[in-house]
Amino acid sequence: MADFLKKKYNIIDNIYTFEIKDSSTKKVTEFYKFSPFPNYKETDNKSTILDKGNKNLLAAQFKKFVGYKKNVLEVGCGTGQLSIFFSIGTNNNIIALDPTIQSLKLAEKFTSKYDLKNLKFINADIFDDVLQKDYFDFVWCNGVLHHTKNPYAAFEILIKSLKKNGYVLIGLYNKIGRLRTIVRKYLYKIFGEKFLIKVDPTLRNLKLDKEEQKAWIRDQYIHPIESLHTLDEVMRWFKKNNIEFVSSIPSSDYDYDYEDIFSPKSPGTFFSRMLNQFIMIFNSLGSDGGLFVVVGKKK
Ligand SMILES: C[S@@+](CC[C@H](N)C(=O)[O-])C[C@H]1O[C@@H](n2cnc3c(N)ncnc32)[C@H](O)[C@@H]1O
């Protein structure tokens, strides 16, 4: 029995496998099956993944802060690029879970090709509660819970696997900060894809190839399950589950230094939190889909 799992599994093609039964999760896996997210480029290799990760402010900080010899979980890893980044050059034990087998197969192919031994994949639905309790030192779950039928219930389950004093990072679509994407979503229905390519900054700015454009459009504009959340809501989730607030992006207060997301920041006031979520509409957080991130520590 793998010590990070508490339920019986099968190992198929090097992936710890559980049957996906829930109809909403199946709907989501059907969706990602056609365009696994994030996708790989033909030219991707260990050094391009390292380079991408190092350029990502959050991921690079996370990897540095985690250090060595830790148990790290990524929930909703998709094609596993981030977990691969976390695993390269460390002796951490990285476990990445996702219900979409097509995405995990790409992840596994890459991992086997580059012989990354400290990374394991689980094909499961978070709601099936397969992870060992109090096992992980770090849990990363970015861009996932808002694509589930009940984000809070999913959070409650994943947080059980976090050890005392362990850290969690949650990224969700913001109810206020995603406004620009919501507007574009309606306009896309009327004017179609060509219009979207002109008005979506991600599609416009990055030199995405056709496959990446397709994956982004599907993920942002035609997803079958999507919900919106706020800083205050996640703070309530934390409180109910004995998680201490550490920091957030956007800031919950008026400290806009995001260089050290693991050092405790003031939770601010209802007004400062609302203001910063409103400002998201006009900055890069809002133009990139309105994702906000909250970091917490288990007491
Ligand atoms: C937008 S992708 C994000 C992938 C990756 N976290 C990233 O940031 O690039 C959402 C991922 O959540 C996964 N997901 C959806 N429902 C899930 C569930 N019930 N349990 C675990 N993961 C789920 C999907 O399969 C998909 O890979």
Side-chain angles (χ1 to χ4, degrees):
M1 188 84 180
D3 56 355
F4 51 90
L5 290 168
K6 65 179 182 192
K7 291 196 178 166
K8 224 173 144 233
Y9 53 83
N10 288 313
I11 298 183
I12 304 173
D13 298 334
N14 283 333
I15 298 171
Y16 294 80
T17 306
F18 295 84
E19 193 188 343
I20 309 294
K21 295 188 194 121
D22 181 79
S23 60
S24 325
T25 307
K26 276 188 174 164
K27 212 187 220 179
V28 173
T29 58
E30 277 299 306
F31 175 80
Y32 283 111
K33 182 168 127 181
F34 294 105
S35 226
F37 191 92
N39 78 329
Y40 284 93
K41 283 189 173 157
E42 292 274 308
T43 49
D44 269 329
N45 56 43
K46 228 164 130 176
S47 83
T48 61
I49 298 288
L50 256 182
D51 195 45
K52 248 191 257 183
N54 283 326
K55 282 186 182 144
N56 175 327
L57 175 80
L58 272 185
Q61 268 189 65
F62 186 86
K63 185 170 177 178
K64 195 167 161 207
F65 188 74
V66 166
Y68 296 92
K69 283 195 172 170
K70 299 288 188 332
N71 293 333
V72 179
L73 170 71
E74 185 185 7
V75 173
C77 64
T79 56
Q81 292 187 16
L82 195 79
S83 282
I84 289 169
F85 168 67
F86 292 154
S87 77
I88 297 174
T90 78
N91 59 2
N92 292 315
N93 175 26
I94 315 283
I95 310 294
L97 177 147
D98 202 283
T100 309
I101 188 66
Q102 289 77 6
S103 299
L104 290 184
K105 280 188 174 163
L106 293 177
E108 207 288 318
K109 193 173 149 199
F110 191 98
T111 307
S112 291
K113 183 172 173 190
Y114 292 98
D115 202 22
L116 300 170
K117 296 212 181 329
N118 57 337
L119 172 56
K120 300 201 170 52
F121 296 103
I122 306 172
N123 182 217
D125 179 349
I126 189 65
F127 292 104
D128 287 339
D129 197 7
V130 301
L131 297 162
Q132 197 58 259
K133 227 178 136 212
D134 303 324
Y135 185 89
F136 294 98
D137 301 283
F138 292 88
V139 174
W140 173 291
C141 182
N142 194 17
V144 176
L145 300 184
H146 50 233
H147 292 314
T148 67
K149 61 181 176 187
N150 186 340
Y152 176 66
F155 173 78
E156 265 189 319
I157 292 169
L158 70 83
I159 215 66
K160 287 194 295 182
S161 66
L162 184 66
K163 278 182 192 166
K164 187 172 185 275
N165 291 324
Y167 286 83
V168 60
L169 180 149
I170 299 288
L172 292 166
Y173 286 153
N174 192 273
K175 207 172 240 171
I176 309 164
R178 194 165 162 77
L179 183 72
R180 281 167 70 178
T181 306
I182 306 288
V183 171
R184 283 197 298 263
K185 206 172 187 169
Y186 287 109
L187 294 175
Y188 166 53
K189 279 187 190 147
I190 305 168
F191 300 112
E193 203 168 300
K194 279 197 179 134
F195 167 81
L196 202 56
I197 291 169
K198 282 191 198 135
V199 295
D200 179 312
T202 305
L203 294 173
R204 230 177 31 206
N205 287 348
L206 296 179
K207 292 194 171 50
L208 302 183
D209 63 31
K210 280 271 168 244
E211 275 308 303
E212 284 171 311
Q213 275 192 351
K214 193 173 119 198
W216 178 257
I217 292 172
R218 281 173 62 79
D219 194 59
Q220 292 294 308
Y221 299 103
I222 48 181
H223 207 289
I225 298 182
E226 178 179 310
S227 55
L228 302 170
H229 305 273
T230 63
L231 275 170
D232 282 73
E233 187 185 349
V234 177
M235 283 176 165
R236 281 195 297 277
W237 294 6
F238 277 14
K239 213 173 224 164
K240 279 200 219 163
N241 289 275
N242 222 15
I243 308 290
E244 201 172 71
F245 170 84
V246 174
S247 76
S248 66
I249 304 178
S251 169
S252 50
D253 201 4
Y254 302 108
D255 171 359
Y256 301 108
D257 177 6
Y258 300 125
E259 294 294 317
D260 189 3
I261 54 163
F262 293 99
S263 76
K265 303 271 164 50
S266 156
T269 60
F270 178 71
F271 177 78
S272 60
R273 293 190 290 271
M274 286 303 282
L275 178 71
N276 289 331
Q277 290 171 98
F278 180 73
I279 292 172
M280 281 177 83
I281 301 173
F282 308 100
N283 63 26
S284 61
L285 291 174
S287 64
D288 290 346
L291 204 69
F292 72 111
V293 166
V294 192
V295 178
K297 185 176 180 185
K298 200 171 199 176
K299 290 193 246 184

